Amino acid sequence: LVDWKPRTGELTGEGPLTLRRRPPGSKAAQSPQVLRATRLKGDTLRQEYTLSGPVQVEDPAERSWFRGGDVTFNAKEEWMKSPSAFQLQKGDLQVKGEELRVDGKATTATIGRNCNLQQGADGLQSQRCQWNWESQAVQAEGDVLYRRRNSDQLTRAQKLQGQLGPEGNVVVSNPGGRVFSQLRVPRRSSPPQPQRVRSKPEPIEF
């Protein structure tokens, strides 16, 4: 049951609800976005809506889906936020975390707690992170753990910035502390030469 008041823009709906939407500029043959929720409340004049969880979003054209709790979004300003735990996938990237905020104009997603990104063989865990799905740039802070399975690389630090994926550069830094990086390399006949220990930690680029 959906109740809409055109004069005030007030929109309410009791579920379960299923909404279908075609983004502006999409082709007629393109599969629509499908949204499911238990309740809807919003303002059609401001184009701002709140969906009560569990919320599910499917976007076949973008190879994307979302699963989470309550979601608030503004279709005009192109932003979305959700304070609850969530899971999403966009293309080859899988994301888990809490306190999600998406800025469609800036093409960025910010995860405020328990960030977990997985793209192909690369994986990133941290307390907080931000990801740009256009440039694939990523920034992470707090107990960062970065895995790169193709080279059996494991890196721990407090900050990370760069790009996920086999061709992306990753710069890791740990202000005032140490950076731990573990690599698996082929054996060689001669013993490794000792390396000079730096007095201050510097960012490491892979």
Side-chain angles (χ1 to χ4, degrees):
L1 176 63
V2 176
D3 182 23
W4 178 43
K5 300 178 181 178
R7 181 171 297 181
T8 63
E10 182 181 355
L11 177 68
T12 57
E14 297 294 337
L17 301 172
T18 300
L19 307 176
R20 290 175 172 83
R21 174 181 178 270
R22 293 185 185 276
S26 60
K27 298 180 181 179
Q30 181 174 312
S31 299
Q33 298 172 341
V34 180
L35 186 152
R36 296 180 175 88
T38 58
R39 190 172 184 272
L40 167 67
K41 183 177 181 181
D43 186 332
T44 58
L45 301 181
R46 297 172 54 195
Q47 297 187 40
E48 186 169 316
Y49 310 91
T50 296
L51 302 165
S52 298
V55 175
Q56 301 181 19
V57 181
E58 304 282 348
D59 191 345
E62 295 293 329
R63 298 171 54 215
S64 303
W65 55 262
F66 172 90
R67 306 280 188 277
D70 294 356
V71 171
T72 300
F73 69 94
N74 188 299
K76 183 177 181 181
E77 299 295 330
E78 299 181 32
W79 59 259
M80 182 187 85
K81 62 182 180 180
S82 175
S84 308
F86 72 92
Q87 298 181 19
L88 70 83
Q89 179 167 328
K90 186 173 180 64
D92 296 329
L93 180 70
Q94 297 179 351
V95 184
K96 296 180 182 179
E98 300 175 53
E99 298 180 4
L100 172 68
R101 184 174 181 90
V102 175
D103 186 338
K105 294 182 179 179
T107 65
T108 59
T110 302
I111 301 172
R113 293 180 59 192
N114 300 327
C115 172
N116 190 316
L117 307 180
Q118 186 73 37
Q119 183 173 17
D122 294 349
L124 171 68
Q125 297 178 33
S126 64
Q127 293 180 6
R128 300 168 298 279
C129 71
Q130 184 177 82
W131 165 63
N132 186 304
W133 61 82
E134 289 291 337
S135 67
Q136 298 301 316
V138 63
Q139 296 181 349
E141 293 184 355
D143 299 329
V144 179
L145 176 62
Y146 174 62
R147 289 189 178 93
R148 202 163 189 173
R149 294 181 182 175
N150 289 344
S151 58
D152 289 328
Q153 174 184 325
L154 175 65
T155 300
R156 299 178 187 271
Q158 285 302 311
K159 290 186 178 181
L160 177 147
Q161 61 182 12
Q163 289 180 294
L164 288 180
E167 302 300 328
N169 294 326
V170 176
V171 177
V172 181
S173 63
N174 189 4
R178 296 181 178 179
V179 173
F180 170 80
S181 186
Q182 176 180 311
L183 297 171
R184 180 178 297 177
V185 297
R187 293 183 178 180
R188 54 184 177 181
S189 55
S190 59
Q193 297 297 321
Q195 296 182 351
R196 178 172 59 90
V197 178
R198 298 180 183 273
S199 59
K200 295 182 179 180
E202 296 182 357
I204 299 175
E205 182 171 343
F206 298 101

